[in-house]
């Protein structure tokens, strides 16, 4: 990410706004809305593959954790950001952990992993509101069969930048914001920013020319580039050309900004497997059924 310049370059224009209100359940613990996917938007969202927005949803206390029981992945990474509630993770590589509000789990499925995602046991017992994001990030062909890995990034370890004129704050989950580097390790150049703007606050982000850029308004309302008003649950997909995006909060707002170098490679996907060819998908199915994950 480049520092702002006095002679700011042309702005990244909004290509279109995606609004999806059709929710579905993942397991019995995550009522999600798919905001974008490689199936629907194709190469426009590369290097990102999919974003599911879960909640906000209220769960009653229970003695049985809800969630998604053990399932496979291959060929990409999952990024889980919790805003409210708790999620517990365990996988067959021996990783396990619990993430709560502000925490992030960055899992590299690579050549294959089996994992489960459940509500935290304490959260299950007391009940409450769950709100979270799960983002799928593609891996380039050379890294699709890398060893599985797990990054548990606790909120206190995520750098927080105060925006100019005290407009709000920006958490650098991945990438770089004006020299502040995020906590997550990535295979390709990616910026993942969690922004909070106060009502009336405004800022300009300078992002790499040629990168895919999207902004999801989690709550509030903002005006982008002085032209377009975006409301809660709107997702803006920007043109790749140019660098600057200006954002003004019309009310207290939370924004998830995604920005990454496109991966110019074929995509072949089947459920929890995302590879480059159908032969690789068939191999993934064979390996999973044979217990080779």
């Amino acid at each position: 990410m480049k520092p702002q310049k006095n002679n700011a370059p042309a702005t990244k224009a909004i290509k279109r706004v995606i609004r999806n209100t059709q929710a579905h359940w993942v397991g019995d613990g995550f009522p999600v809305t798919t905001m974008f996917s490689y199936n629907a938007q194709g190469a426009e969202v590369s290097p990102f593959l999919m974003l599911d927005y879960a909640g906000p949803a209220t769960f009653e206390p229970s003695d049985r954790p809800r969630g998604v029981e053990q399932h496979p992945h291959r060929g990409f990474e999952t990024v889980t950001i919790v805003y409210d509630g708790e999620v517990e993770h365990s996988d067959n590589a021996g990783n396990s952990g619990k993430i709560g509000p502000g925490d992030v789990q960055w899992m590299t499925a690579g050549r294959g992993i089996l994992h489960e995602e459940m509500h935290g046991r304490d959260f299950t017992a007391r009940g409450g509101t769950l709100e979270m994001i799960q983002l799928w990030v593609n891996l380039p062909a050379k890294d699709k069969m890398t060893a599985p890995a797990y990054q548990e990034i606790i909120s206190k370890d995520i750098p927080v930048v105060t925006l100019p004129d005290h407009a709000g704050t920006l958490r650098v989950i991945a990438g770089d914001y004006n020299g502040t580097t995020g906590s997550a390790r990535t295979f390709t150049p990616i910026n993942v920013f969690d922004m909070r703007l106060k009502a009336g606050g405004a800022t300009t982000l300078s992002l790499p020319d040629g990168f895919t850029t999207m902004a999801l308004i989690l709550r509030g309302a903002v005006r982008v580039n002085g032209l377009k008003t975006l409301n809660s649950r709107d997702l803006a997909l920007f043109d790749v050309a140019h660098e600057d995006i200006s954002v003004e909060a019309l009310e207290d707002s939370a924004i998830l900004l995604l920005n990454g170098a496109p991966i110019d490679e074929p995509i072949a996907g089947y459920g929890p497997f995302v590879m480059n060819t159908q032969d690789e998908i068939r191999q993934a199915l064979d390996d999973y059924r044979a217990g080779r994950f």
Side-chain angles (χ1 to χ4, degrees), residues 6 48 59 61 66 73 75 84 122 138 145 153 159 188 196 205 210 226 234 257 268 275 289:
N6 292 329
F48 309 106
F59 289 87
R66 308 171 179 92
H73 290 296
D84 208 350
D122 293 340
N138 203 8
M145 296 297 283
I153 307 169
T188 58
R196 299 288 190 278
L205 303 172
D234 283 349
L257 189 136
M275 304 299 290
R289 290 165 179 159

Side-chain angles (χ1 to χ4, degrees), residues 23-282:
H24 63 278
W25 282 87
V26 176
D28 64 356
F30 305 106
V32 308
T33 302
T34 299
M35 302 306 301
F36 68 80
S37 74
Y38 68 93
N39 288 317
Q41 280 77 36
E44 284 187 312
V45 297
S46 178
F48 309 106
L49 293 168
M50 187 187 75
L51 188 148
D52 277 349
Y53 182 18
T58 301
F59 289 87
E60 296 298 323
S62 174
D63 57 3
R64 184 186 65 82
R66 308 171 179 92
V68 187
E69 295 183 346
Q70 192 176 80
H71 57 283
H73 290 296
R74 173 178 278 185
F76 61 99
E77 301 183 288
T78 65
V79 181
T80 304
I81 305 170
V82 176
Y83 295 97
D84 208 350
E86 292 175 347
V87 178
E88 291 191 12
H89 163 95
S90 63
D91 62 44
N92 68 333
N95 302 301
S96 63
K98 179 176 71 174
I99 55 174
D103 300 338
V104 177
Q105 167 194 293
W106 199 296
M107 187 190 76
T108 304
R111 62 178 175 244
I113 199 166
L114 305 175
H115 79 143
E116 65 177 33
E117 299 157 290
M118 308 296 290
H119 292 185
R121 282 162 285 189
D122 293 340
F123 175 78
T124 297
R126 69 175 181 268
T129 300
L130 179 76
E131 181 182 11
M132 55 172 273
I133 291 287
Q134 184 162 100
L135 171 70
W136 288 14
V137 178
N138 203 8
L139 289 170
K142 66 182 181 62
D143 295 315
K144 281 192 174 292
M145 296 297 283
T146 193
Y150 177 77
Q151 302 174 68
E152 186 174 284
I153 307 169
I154 303 304
S155 180
K156 66 179 179 61
D157 296 328
I158 298 174
V160 181
V161 177
T162 299
L163 297 171
D165 300 321
H166 300 283
T169 59
L170 183 149
R171 298 199 312 152
V172 188
I173 295 171
D176 178 89
Y177 175 82
N178 290 354
T180 298
T181 302
S183 302
R185 301 181 303 275
T186 67
F187 284 81
T188 58
I190 289 173
N191 296 305
V192 179
F193 300 151
D194 180 21
M195 295 175 57
R196 299 288 190 278
L197 291 178
K198 302 174 185 176
T203 193
T204 298
L205 303 172
S206 187
L207 302 160
D209 189 352
F211 276 31
T212 298
T213 303
M214 291 177 281
L216 173 61
I217 313 306
L218 297 166
R219 61 183 59 86
V222 301
R223 184 175 293 116
V224 177
N225 296 337
L227 299 171
K228 182 70 174 177
T229 298
L230 301 176
N231 297 299
S232 178
R233 303 183 83 90
D234 283 349
L235 184 135
L237 175 62
F238 292 82
D239 283 332
V240 298
H242 306 307
E243 296 182 4
D244 282 5
I245 296 173
S246 66
V247 185
E248 177 190 0
L250 305 179
E251 55 190 76
D252 289 351
S253 299
I255 305 156
L256 179 66
L257 189 136
L258 307 175
N259 173 253
I263 298 173
D264 186 18
E265 295 174 352
I267 293 177
Y270 180 80
F273 310 131
V274 182
M275 304 299 290
N276 298 108
T277 68
Q278 289 300 321
D279 282 345
E280 291 172 333
I281 292 294
R282 284 188 283 271

